[in-house]
Amino acid sequence: MDTPTGYDTELLGLPLYDDAHRALAAEADAWCQAHHVLWDEVRTLDPHTAGRRLTRALGAAGWFTGLDPAPGARPTGLREICLRREILAHAEDLADFAYAIQALAATPLLRHGTEQQRAAWLPGLADGTRIGAFAVSEQEAGSDLAAVALAAERQDDGSYVLDGRKAWIANATIADVFVVIARTGPGPGALGLSALLVPADTPGLRVEPVAAIAPRSFGHLHFEDCRLPAEALLGRRGRGFVVAVDLLERFRTTVGAAALGFARRAFDTALAHTRARAAYGATLFDLQLVKGRLADMEIELAAAGLLVARAAWETDRGSRSFARHSNMAKVHATEAAQQVVDSAVQLMGAAGIVQDSITERLYRQIRSLRLYEGPTEVLKTAIANSR
């Protein structure tokens, strides 16, 4: 049952993956194992400094290259993003966070940006010298995208003026550019939304840092008479809902992949502990109840891994049902990961709740994955309604 890598090598042997995926996973895992000093360093930094440090390190190492593909080359596939997130999450949660938010911010530019917009931002996002963020949530509009209220009033010259707020934005305190979903028209609900590119130094934009149980760059955005040129519009006016849903439906699978990485690290840690911990004249691992708990954890990992792999494969092949598979993968993987991490803490005993231990960090880190990019309850409703 011992897994020496940050991913399931047996799962990668299935036809859902090809040799290029297997080579990428091996290379990414080797890189992570060789950078323990970097992980130790960022854990001593405040989350804002750590985010900048990791984004630049990942960019310099080529992790973001696919965000700015060469002419004629295809963008990074979802299976590649999922593998990278799983491996990074297994190694260091802040590294997964840095990678995920950069990819999340760049993807709308890749899929909907003009040639000029892509040329202005993607090279910096791809080499890690610039940092992106995606801003859709508001305090009164989370999963209900149609309730977004941030106003972007269109002026006679085609420019926009933003007034309002965004909430719970990842990378808020360190981003150089925000992809913002705002209300640009009188259409009801989703019909009046558009996507806008907002540089972080735009006058009228203020960032309010927010502390979370798992420290990272996080905050609210305040817009007051924030003026943007007509060229800030990303995609077509009134199509912001489509931009946001298209992005979130794809990236939910990657959240499941990150959850898998966290859970695998928790399992590996608990397994090593039970094999080494003397108890009752043998080891903890020799107790039948402990073996049963470990078996349950491994079953959850295997099931989550298959759902994530299927969802990523469906997305890459252009399946019409990819969103349903993405929702199922996200729900099961995040819920299962929460159980696996909790079981790891239980098996570790008092050692599992020591501040800044592996299991204590994982216990704080895993909780948010069941909320962002679609809470479990909302996604279950979507899954039921998709038939």
Side-chain angles (χ1 to χ4, degrees):
M1 290 198 299
D2 198 4
T3 305
T5 62
Y7 63 99
D8 186 340
T9 55
E10 292 183 347
L11 180 60
L12 235 66
L14 297 178
L16 293 170
Y17 298 100
D18 58 30
D19 287 342
H21 295 120
R22 288 182 272 275
L24 179 148
E27 181 181 350
D29 190 66
W31 189 90
C32 286
Q33 292 189 33
H35 283 76
H36 291 294
V37 173
L38 176 61
W39 312 145
D40 292 340
E41 174 194 345
V42 296
R43 289 173 193 150
T44 67
L45 303 174
D46 67 81
H48 319 290
T49 304
R52 293 189 189 94
R53 173 77 175 89
L54 283 165
T55 302
R56 281 155 177 70
L58 291 171
W63 284 74
F64 302 130
T65 301
L67 302 182
D68 185 28
R74 68 176 182 86
T76 302
L78 200 69
R79 280 171 292 181
E80 289 97 326
I81 294 175
C82 285
L83 286 170
R84 286 174 171 148
R85 285 206 68 178
E86 180 180 350
I87 291 165
L88 283 171
H90 186 275
E92 169 54 43
D93 77 295
L94 286 173
D96 164 64
F97 184 81
Y99 175 78
I101 305 306
Q102 193 81 331
L104 187 74
T107 297
L109 272 160
L110 269 171
R111 294 180 61 78
H112 305 283
T114 65
E115 183 178 343
Q116 291 76 18
Q117 288 170 334
R118 292 195 297 268
W121 292 107
L122 289 181
L125 294 175
D127 66 17
T129 58
R130 282 181 163 177
I131 297 174
F134 182 68
V136 60
S137 296
E138 299 175 5
Q139 289 185 332
E140 303 300 327
S143 299
D144 184 8
L145 295 180
V148 164
L150 172 65
E153 295 291 336
R154 193 166 186 260
Q155 309 300 296
D156 292 340
D157 62 357
S159 63
Y160 296 89
V161 177
L162 274 68
D163 281 290
R165 296 188 296 174
K166 288 293 180 184
W168 328 120
I169 306 305
N171 270 3
T173 62
I174 62 174
D176 296 294
V177 64
F178 297 90
V179 177
V180 177
I181 304 300
R183 190 161 296 282
T184 57
L191 297 180
L193 301 178
S194 298
L196 296 160
L197 288 172
V198 184
D201 59 1
T202 304
L205 169 59
R206 178 173 62 86
V207 178
E208 174 192 352
V210 174
I213 58 173
R216 60 242 302 104
S217 170
F218 202 49
H220 302 327
L221 307 182
H222 299 263
F223 301 90
E224 184 175 353
D225 196 29
C226 184
R227 297 179 178 270
L228 300 171
E231 296 75 30
L233 183 67
L234 180 62
R236 291 166 49 193
R237 186 168 176 242
R239 299 280 288 175
F241 183 83
V242 173
V243 172
V245 170
D246 174 69
L247 179 68
L248 295 175
E249 286 180 341
R250 293 172 183 278
F251 269 76
R252 282 181 187 131
T253 302
T254 79
V255 178
L260 193 57
F262 289 145
R264 196 177 306 285
R265 181 69 183 275
F267 175 79
D268 291 346
T269 302
L271 178 61
H273 175 79
T274 59
R275 284 177 166 169
R277 175 74 156 80
Y280 306 104
T283 67
L284 281 177
F285 182 78
D286 294 308
L287 300 177
Q288 293 305 306
L289 285 174
V290 170
K291 287 183 177 180
R293 180 69 69 99
L294 288 166
D296 288 341
M297 294 163 74
E298 190 162 23
I299 290 167
E300 293 288 5
L301 283 170
L306 285 167
L307 281 169
V308 168
R310 167 77 183 276
W313 176 75
E314 295 281 4
T315 304
D316 282 344
R317 76 185 187 97
S319 168
R320 291 183 179 180
S321 63
F322 84 88
R324 180 166 60 89
H325 290 286
S326 181
N327 290 342
M328 289 191 294
K330 200 262 187 185
V331 167
H332 183 80
T334 56
E335 293 291 332
Q338 182 82 63
Q339 296 174 24
V340 170
V341 172
D342 187 78
S343 290
V345 172
Q346 194 72 14
L347 291 173
M348 296 286 292
I353 56 173
V354 172
Q355 187 172 4
D356 207 37
S357 64
I358 291 174
T359 46
E360 187 270 344
R361 290 201 309 270
L362 290 170
Y363 199 77
R364 286 184 287 107
Q365 292 152 6
I366 197 63
R367 187 59 184 86
S368 63
L369 272 64
R370 294 166 59 203
L371 294 172
Y372 69 70
E373 295 185 34
T376 293
E377 294 75 15
V378 171
L379 296 185
K380 282 184 175 180
T381 301
I383 293 165
N385 290 338
S386 66
R387 285 296 187 178

